[in-house]
Amino acid sequence: AQKITQTQPGMFVQEKEAVTLDCTYDTSDQSYGLFWYKQPSSGEMIFLIYQGSYDEQNATEGRYSLNFQKARKSANLVISASQLGDSAMYFCAMRAGSARQLTFGSGTQLTVLP
Amino acid sequence: NAGVTQTPKFRVLKTGQSMTLLCAQDMNHEYMYWYRQDPGMGLRLIHYSVGEGTTAKGEVPDGYNVSRLKKQNFLLGLESAAPSQTSVYFCASRQGGGPYEQYFGPGTRLTVT
C-alpha cells in the first residue's frame, strides 16, 4: 500500500521569501510518480509539478521546484519568492506501480504574510 | 475546451434521499475518478473508471455507485444519502498513458441533513 505523509498542517512565510513544504512517501514499488497540487480558497485543484522516480533531475516549473530525495523517500515542494497569491492548501500525491489512482496526503495550509 | 465540469455545484439533501452527480470531460481522457474531500483530510478515492463501460472501487466506495456509459461522462450516485456523506466531491480525469497528471473539476459541495 502507498502512503503520503505531510507533517506540517500549517505554514507561514513572509512575502518574497522561499518556503519548503514537506512530503514523505512510502511505497515498495520501484516505479512511481509524485505530484503537488494547490487548492486555493476557491476550492479548485491546480496541478503544480510532477517528479518520476526514475527522473535524475529535480523537477522545476517556474517558481516551483521539487526537492526529490529518493533514499529518504521525500519529495518536498520549494516555492521561491512567495507571493500573496500562493496562500492556499498544498497537497502531495503519489501514483505507484501499476496503480491507476493517486494517493493524497492530508495537505499543508500555506499563508503568505505581507 | 471546458476541461472537466461538474453538475451541480451545490446541493442539500435530506437523509435517505438520492441524487446523481455528473462529471463531464471534453479531453477524450480514458481515466476518470471520483474523490471526496473532508475537512482536515486529503482527497480520498471513491470509485474510478479506466474506460467506457468499466468501473472499479477506490478507498471509500460504500454508499456510492458509479456508471460510465459514455467515455466523456462519469456519474456518481447516492442511493440513500447519509449525513456522513456530507463532503466536497471532486471529479478528475487523465489520459491513458503518461504523464499521469489528473485534471480536476471545480467540485460539488454536498450537505446531507
Side-chain angles (χ1 to χ4, degrees), chain A residues 35 37 39 42-45 47 50 89 91 95 99-102 104-107, chain B residues 31 33 35 37 40-43 45 48 50 90 94 100-106:
Chain A
F35 302 76
Y37 283 85
Q39 186 179 44
S42 52
E44 71 269 32
M45 295 287 286
F47 167 75
Y50 168 79
M89 180 73 85
F91 290 98
R95 176 201 59 80
R100 286 136 171 188
Q101 63 266 35
L102 296 179
F104 284 82
S106 56
Chain B
Y31 292 70
Y33 305 84
Y35 294 92
Q37 183 180 26
M41 301 182 72
L43 278 70
L45 183 66
Y48 66 99
V50 302
F90 286 97
R94 70 167 177 88
Y100 301 97
E101 172 194 346
Q102 293 186 13
Y103 295 80
F104 283 81

Side-chain angles (χ1 to χ4, degrees), chain A residues 23-44:
Chain A
C23 172
T24 58
Y25 60 91
D26 188 25
T27 181
S28 56
D29 291 296
Q30 297 301 309
S31 174
Y32 52 89
L34 295 150
F35 302 76
W36 278 93
Y37 283 85
K38 172 184 178 181
Q39 186 179 44
S41 58
S42 52
E44 71 269 32

Side-chain angles (χ1 to χ4, degrees), chain B residues 62-73:
Chain B
D62 293 342
Y64 304 95
N65 57 74
V66 288
S67 64
R68 183 108 180 260
L69 299 179
K70 291 185 178 180
K71 186 176 184 178
Q72 63 268 33
N73 295 336

Side-chain angles (χ1 to χ4, degrees), chain A residues 8-86:
Chain A
Q8 307 154 314
M11 288 279 287
F12 292 89
V13 65
Q14 210 67 39
E15 194 178 6
K16 299 180 185 177
E17 292 187 350
V19 63
T20 298
L21 306 183
D22 294 342
C23 172
T24 58
Y25 60 91
D26 188 25
T27 181
S28 56
D29 291 296
Q30 297 301 309
S31 174
Y32 52 89
L34 295 150
F35 302 76
W36 278 93
Y37 283 85
K38 172 184 178 181
Q39 186 179 44
S41 58
S42 52
E44 71 269 32
M45 295 287 286
I46 302 167
F47 167 75
L48 295 178
I49 197 166
Y50 168 79
Q51 177 88 40
S53 58
Y54 294 120
D55 295 339
E56 294 184 354
Q57 303 267 359
N58 284 346
T60 60
E61 289 286 348
R63 294 186 299 109
Y64 303 107
S65 60
L66 202 153
N67 184 0
F68 182 47
Q69 298 190 41
K70 204 167 180 176
R72 293 186 175 186
K73 293 191 174 181
S74 73
N76 299 337
L77 177 70
V78 180
I79 305 174
S80 63
S82 297
Q83 302 172 356
L84 295 178
D86 293 334

